[in-house]
Each structure stands twice: as C-alpha cells, then as structure tokens.
Amino acid sequence: MPEHPNNPLLQSPTRPLPRHVAIIGAGSIGPDIGYYLKSALPALQLTLIDINQGAIDAALKRFADYAKKALAKGKMNEAQAAAVQQGVQGSTDYDALKDCDWVIEAATENLALKRRIFAQVEARVAMDAVITSNTSSLPAARIFAELKNPERATVTHFFAPAWRNPAVEVIDWPHAAPELVAWLRWVFCSTGKVPLLTRDVPCFMLDRIFDNWCNEAALLLDRATAAQIDTVAAEFVHAGPFFVLNLARGNPIITETNTLQADEEGEHYRPATIFQSVDHWLTVAPGQRVDVSTDTARAVRERLLGSLLSQSVDILDRGIGTPADLDLGCVTALGFKAGPLALLRDMPHADAQHILKRLALERPGMPMPKRTLADYLDFERHVLVDDVQGVKVITLRRPEALNALHDEMTDEILAVIRRFENDPAVTGFVIIGYGTKAFCAGADIGRFADLLGDKTAAAQYARDCSRLLVHLDAMHKPVVAALNGMALGGGFELAMRCHALVAMEQAWMQLPEVSLGLLPGIGAMVVPYRRWPQAAGTFHGMLRRCDKLKASQALALGMVDALASSPAELISLAVARVQALAKGRTRIPDGPVALPAFDLMSPTAANGLALSPTTLGLIERAVLEAAQAPTLSAALEIGYLAFGDSACTAAAREGIAAFGEKRAPDFARVG
C-alpha cells in the first residue's frame, strides 16, 4: 500500500469536508451512515436514494426517532436535534445526485447490481465527485472495473450500527488516487470515526476475522449446540457468533462471503452447509450461559481461537492490514474483549502452538504463521508515530477510551521517546491525541479500586505512573503537547510536563479527581504552580472545584503558547515550537514557591456536585507543603504520599464505587 501518515489528521486535505452527500440504499445501513454524517456535519446536505419510496419514508422516520432519543438522553440539545433532520431529502430519481460531491452506495451485496448503480452514478455526478461502496466483502477492483474514472472510487466499509460504531475500513486499491484515500481517512478521523486502512482482498480485514469466526462456529455444531458455542465464545466476545448472526440475519452473508473466499483462496473457506437450512439459531443472550462439558468446551475454545489466530497471522503476512489496526478493529467493530494479538501475547507460547497445530489437523488448508509468533507482536498498540520535518509526532490512540492513559500506553510513549531522543536526526517530539475530541481523558481508574485502603501501594502507584513524566522533566530534546481536545486529570498532568503547550481553540483542561474523592497525585498539585505562578489562583479552582480551563484562558495566562483553528495548523504550531525550543528551554524550577491563600469555599464543585471536605483538606495541605519543598523531586514526593493518603479515605471508596455504578457520589454520608 502507498505510504500515508499514521495519524490521518497530520495531512492537509486536498479538498474540504463534503457539502452534499448522497447515500444509495435507504433500507438498512444506509440511513445509519447518513445519521452519523449529519450528526458530525450538521450543515451537510444529505440525499437518500432508493427505488422504494417506503424505504425512504422509513429512513426519514428513523432520523427523527434517533434525534428524539438523543434529545431525551441529553446527548443533543434541541438545536442539534433539529439540525440533524434538516437538509435531508429522499428521492427515487438518480438525477438527484447531480450536485453531490460524495456518493456512498449501500445497496445489496450483488456485484452486477452495484456495477449498474455506479454506471448511473458516474453518468450524473461531476468528474471530481467521490464515489464509494459500503460492501463488506466484494473487492474494489471488481466493483469499479467498469468505471471510466476509477481513481475517484474506493470501498468505505462501515460497521453496524454505523451511526455509533467508530470503525470504518478504507480500501487502498491500486486504481484509487492516493489523494482520495488520504481525504477519506481525514474526513473520517475529523468526524469521530476510526479509519482502518486495508488492502483490496475479498472480505478485506475485519470481515475475514468475523466471517471465519462464524463459519468455524457453524462447523463445530457436530460436537456442540449453538448455545454451548456462544457460552464458550463469551470468554472472548461480548456476544457469541450465533447471537450476532440472529441479530444481523447474517446466515446468507456468511454463505456469500465465505463462498467468495473459497473461490479465491481455497476450499477450506467453503461455508458450512447448515447456513442454507437454518433461519434462526437457538442460543443464549450475552451474559447467559448453558452447561458445557470440559472436553467440549476445550474443543470449541481451541477451534475458535485457532480460527482467530490463523486469520490474524494471514492478514499480517499478506499485508492486508497493520497489527495495531487489526487489534483495535476487532475490539471496536466486532465486539471482541481483546484483540487477537493481545490474546496471543498473553497466552503461553506452548498453548498457541498447540491451538494452531490442532487447527491444521482438523481444518487442513487454513493459513499458518510464516514467522515466529513473537514476530507478530512487535508493534506499538496504542500510539502512532509519524515524522514531520524531523520531529517525531506521537499520537495517543485509544479512541474507545478517549485516549486515556494506562500502563501499556505509558510504556509505549516512553519507549518511542527513548528510541529517538539520542538520534541526531530527530529535533524533538510532539504528543497529540487521536481525533478531534480528546488529547487524553486522564488515566483508566480500573486499578484504583485495588489500591483503596493501602497507602503504601497507592503512593507507589503514583510514583510508577510518573515514570514518563519524570523522564520528560530530565530530557534535553524538547517535547510539545498539542492539545487537540480535552485534557483531563492525568492527561492534563502529562501535558503540563511537556516543555510547551499549543492547543486547538476549542480545547479545554480539567482536574476532576476531587469529584471521585481522590486527588491528582502525579504532578498537578506541584508543577503548574512552579511553571506558571501567575496562574496560581486558577489552579486552586481547578484542584478544588473541578473548574474547567478553556484554551483561550490558558493562552491569556501564559500556559499555552498558541491556538490553532485546524488540526493541520495545530501540528504546524507544535513542530515550530519544538524547533524553537531545540535552542534551549527553561526547566521546572526547584526551590520554594510563594502561593496565594486558598479562599474559603463550600465543599461544592463548579457543576454543583457536593465534594468531600476530607479530600479538599488533603489537597490544600499537599499543595502548601509541596510549595515549600526545596526541590521539584521532593515536592513531587509530597504529591505521591498525599495520593496514598486519599486512597485510604471513605470518600475515595465512595467515589470509586459511584463511578463504577454510574451514579453521583454521596460524600455527605462519608465526609
């Protein structure tokens, strides 16, 4: 595949966001694609084309129903709910396409039909209009073989429900113009999707995983029931293969896609014959189980895992997709609890070898590894690395968690920095978040519950979480934080340890830990007071009331050096700042810091949430003690110990419990 930036937003688009999109096929996934686009781009003109007026009417009603539900749940305000329904029209006449700059076909999986549709499309749209197909399996080379201008066409494969599922495969086939592929990835990333670049082969990347997972499940019906197979599969997926097939009416789809793979790649892909005689499977819903004997469970588990590993190594050996995209796509698009390569990494090597050997014996012809298994695991899972003018741009990519930090991501960031910090060809680094919504939404709090009541362990946890930040403090090469969106908690603490900050105009920062009965223990009670003493009053409010700090306010306070109105401008500003800092920078100072007094306040957050007086007292004491510390390292140690203290409070237990139960904490009860 041609080279593209790993982060789609690092490139300057060759054309603007779409103005008028048409979707052909209003019966199934088409309206959901349209709703996603209208939600992300409210000013977009959207046209739904279908031969059936009833399907169009139902699609328009679906828009209204979706907007009504979003309004009721507080996910949209009235103006947004109205905007998503405005500028949407339906037609049975292909002449309605004439003004479109992007046409998405979402019709039945029938090659002849798709070719007829695209002949009509090409006869009506402008020469520079983009044309894409939402096929899940048919290669672009076949679909677009008869187009006069195939360079403006490719496959964009969405996943259900398309208005919510973030994954979309973008197919990089030989005739597609590189500018087209780059633009599509930019559009998707700009509008909240996660574009996954794949080669043009039958079923692309993720459907090769899903279709063969389901086909393998059907082939196992000679030794287990559908309910038993779904019960075993629940170890790996949120919903078993037969439950999903019922939900999606997917039996004909598996038959079609695996027949396509069998015709192209061998009889071992031939679909199970039972798909042709069963309409509905007798199985269990997610979370439910039936009894399965030990031997049967082992046989089912090993065959399902064997299929998963077999397809994964084949995808990587053939360069169909990248390992990071494979794991991320399986989790976001297909509902796996962990990606196949994460599963491979965490299982004993002997078990993986046994599982693949069993598959080779029972399913001859299925792909086997062409390298050692360890070779498939050597990649960054949660960060993307690009080079821009000699500056390494590290993108935090955990879109399913708003790019929140965890141990593995922290170690990957640190490993990338260590790999290049002594390279004379590298001027410095930029750290940015994936997409447009979040720089980093803090730290995953899953481990916090295990720390409650253990001061020593909690303080050590804070020290361990600071390993990247302490390394940044000591670096000679500059690191700039590019705040592409919100920076919360540990994400803001990471940004403030970078050597300069630039931000998007709409970015904002917040320290919400006090609302959980905790305090920010890896620098927020120390570093900002030493770097920006003129803003000490602002930090008091952020720590004690969860005040939000807008990027424009941070600019006025001298915390942020410049604001950008587009991702491309943000990257340009960040790279320029790295280059300027390469000539020298100011380090976080040692020595005591003079602080203004804390104002008297009721234990209430800016949003009205009642806070814990105990936690507020710990924060105030730690801030004052750290300000008097003779060195930065001594001040940071005070913060670590204070975090340990907070973990032993009733407020922390209540805050963490409330977070897990998705309710507001009741600090009045615990103090």
Side-chain angles (χ1 to χ4, degrees):
M1 293 185 288
E3 287 295 323
H4 299 280
N6 292 312
N7 182 341
L9 297 186
L10 295 190
Q11 60 206 358
S12 297
T14 56
R15 55 194 293 158
L17 288 166
R19 176 185 52 83
H20 186 179
V21 174
I23 298 175
I24 299 175
S28 182
I29 197 171
D32 283 4
I33 296 172
Y35 186 79
Y36 136 68
L37 286 168
K38 278 292 294 180
S39 299
L41 304 170
L44 180 75
Q45 185 73 23
L46 182 67
T47 300
L48 301 174
I49 302 289
D50 202 286
I51 59 173
N52 185 342
Q53 183 61 46
I56 294 172
D57 295 340
L60 296 176
K61 183 179 183 303
R62 195 190 306 182
F63 265 63
D65 291 343
Y66 283 167
K68 184 177 179 181
K69 289 179 181 178
L71 184 61
K73 293 181 178 181
K75 295 183 178 181
M76 283 185 177
N77 57 38
E78 291 188 3
Q80 292 169 327
V84 82
Q85 299 174 72
Q86 293 171 354
V88 182
Q89 63 180 357
S91 179
T92 58
D93 187 350
Y94 275 72
D95 284 344
L97 300 174
K98 288 182 179 178
D99 187 44
C100 293
D101 46 12
W102 183 10
V103 178
I104 304 171
E105 172 269 320
T108 305
E109 292 283 84
N110 181 294
L111 181 60
L113 172 63
K114 290 180 184 290
R115 286 179 172 177
R116 290 197 299 272
I117 287 173
F118 285 122
Q120 295 188 67
V121 170
E122 195 169 36
R124 289 168 171 81
V125 299
M127 289 285 291
D128 61 348
V130 172
I131 297 173
T132 69
S133 172
N134 180 55
T135 180
S136 63
S137 58
L138 296 171
R142 295 189 188 184
I143 296 174
F144 304 118
E146 298 175 359
L147 280 189
K148 296 177 182 176
N149 299 297
E151 67 279 356
R152 43 92 167 262
T154 192
V155 169
T156 49
H157 177 207
F158 294 84
F159 293 82
W163 61 271
R164 187 177 64 195
N165 194 313
V168 56
E169 289 180 310
V170 178
I171 311 308
D172 195 356
W173 68 296
H175 286 292
E179 299 80 21
L180 168 70
V181 175
W183 180 77
L184 286 167
R185 294 176 71 234
W186 173 78
V187 168
F188 287 133
C189 195
S190 298
T191 53
K193 289 288 186 183
V194 181
L196 308 171
L197 196 64
T198 79
R199 281 186 55 205
D200 191 34
V201 297
C203 301
F204 315 119
M205 178 172 66
L206 295 182
D207 259 43
R208 298 183 78 85
I209 295 288
F210 176 74
D211 295 347
N212 286 291
W213 172 263
C214 292
N215 195 45
E216 205 64 41
L219 292 171
L220 285 165
L221 289 170
D222 63 348
R223 64 185 74 185
T225 67
Q228 289 175 324
I229 293 168
D230 276 5
T231 295
V232 175
E235 178 185 350
F236 307 108
V237 289
H238 295 288
F242 292 107
F243 181 86
V244 175
L245 287 170
N246 283 343
L247 197 66
R249 299 185 183 92
N251 293 2
I253 297 173
I254 303 300
T255 298
E256 292 173 8
T257 56
N258 272 65
T259 297
L260 179 63
Q261 290 181 75
D263 291 344
E264 288 272 335
E265 300 174 21
E267 285 300 309
H268 47 283
Y269 283 117
R270 192 66 61 189
T273 56
I274 196 170
F275 283 123
Q276 300 174 27
S277 58
V278 174
D279 293 324
H280 186 86
W281 304 99
L282 298 177
T283 187
V284 291
Q288 298 180 351
R289 299 180 59 83
V290 297
D291 291 336
V292 190
S293 71
T294 301
D295 288 344
T296 299
R298 182 184 300 112
V300 170
R301 181 182 187 275
E302 291 182 354
R303 278 277 293 278
L304 289 177
L305 266 179
S307 172
L308 188 60
L309 296 180
S310 169
Q311 291 306 307
S312 297
V313 298
D314 187 48
I315 286 165
L316 301 182
D317 285 336
R318 296 166 60 188
I320 296 171
T322 67
D325 280 1
L326 173 62
D327 261 13
L328 180 60
C330 284
V331 171
T332 57
L334 303 182
F336 279 83
K337 296 178 181 179
L341 301 176
L343 291 172
L344 177 61
R345 176 198 60 195
D346 294 339
M347 73 173 67
H349 180 77
D351 289 0
Q353 294 280 29
H354 166 75
I355 287 167
L356 287 166
K357 184 179 292 186
R358 179 171 191 159
L359 184 74
L361 289 172
E362 297 184 10
R363 297 277 283 118
M366 295 301 285
M368 290 290 121
K370 298 184 183 302
R371 297 174 269 161
T372 65
L373 292 179
D375 285 344
Y376 296 96
L377 303 178
D378 185 17
F379 66 97
E380 278 98 23
R381 290 169 170 79
H382 307 295
V383 302
L384 305 174
V385 183
D386 288 285
D387 189 281
V388 179
Q389 301 175 31
V391 173
K392 293 297 178 183
V393 178
I394 303 171
T395 302
L396 316 181
R397 188 175 73 155
R398 290 189 68 216
E400 74 281 11
L402 293 173
N403 305 324
L405 291 165
H406 60 6
D407 284 342
E408 194 170 354
M409 177 187 272
T410 296
D411 286 338
E412 287 188 358
I413 301 168
L414 190 52
V416 172
I417 288 174
R418 284 174 169 159
R419 188 159 74 238
F420 293 110
E421 65 182 336
N422 295 316
D423 185 341
V426 175
T427 305
F429 304 85
V430 169
I431 299 177
I432 189 172
Y434 188 84
T436 60
K437 189 173 183 180
F439 170 75
C440 176
D444 279 349
I445 69 169
R447 286 186 56 190
F448 287 9
D450 297 332
L451 301 171
L452 295 175
D454 191 331
K455 175 179 178 178
T456 300
Q460 187 58 46
Y461 175 77
R463 293 186 196 95
D464 293 342
C465 288
S466 296
R467 59 193 180 277
L468 168 61
L469 310 187
V470 171
H471 189 87
L472 294 178
D473 294 339
M475 284 181 63
H476 296 287
K477 288 188 176 178
V479 182
V480 172
L483 304 186
N484 54 303
M486 61 183 173
L488 307 182
F492 183 33
E493 290 177 296
L494 168 61
M496 67 176 68
R497 300 292 270 279
C498 293
H499 310 138
L501 290 77
V502 296
M504 292 291 291
E505 293 170 349
Q506 70 272 20
W508 52 278
M509 293 139 269
Q510 189 179 33
L511 295 167
E513 286 85 351
V514 67
S515 67
L516 294 173
L518 294 169
L519 47 79
I522 59 173
M525 298 186 298
V526 176
V527 171
Y529 293 105
R530 290 169 178 265
R531 289 192 67 181
W532 307 288
Q534 70 278 11
T538 297
F539 304 134
H540 283 356
M542 295 184 75
L543 287 166
R544 297 194 302 157
R545 291 190 301 268
C546 304
D547 288 349
K548 288 185 178 180
L549 178 66
K550 295 180 180 179
S552 57
Q553 296 170 312
L555 178 70
L557 291 169
M559 297 170 58
V560 167
D561 290 341
L563 300 183
S565 59
S566 71
E569 183 184 8
L570 181 68
I571 291 296
S572 179
L573 289 172
V575 169
R577 196 75 189 96
V578 168
Q579 293 168 339
L581 289 174
K583 301 172 185 177
R585 65 178 181 85
T586 302
R587 298 184 180 275
I588 303 172
D590 289 316
V593 182
L595 296 185
F598 287 104
D599 61 313
L600 294 176
M601 58 169 274
S602 63
T604 307
N607 65 357
L609 176 72
L611 301 174
S612 162
T614 300
T615 308
L616 288 170
L618 289 173
I619 290 173
E620 293 173 4
R621 184 161 60 251
V623 168
L624 294 175
E625 289 181 4
Q628 295 307 307
T631 64
L632 172 62
S633 60
L636 292 171
E637 181 64 20
I638 291 169
Y640 304 150
L641 294 173
F643 181 79
D645 288 333
S646 74
C648 296
T649 64
R653 287 192 293 273
E654 168 62 12
I656 296 301
F659 182 86
E661 296 164 10
K662 298 182 179 180
R663 61 173 175 84
D666 182 7
F667 292 124
R669 181 172 56 84
V670 298

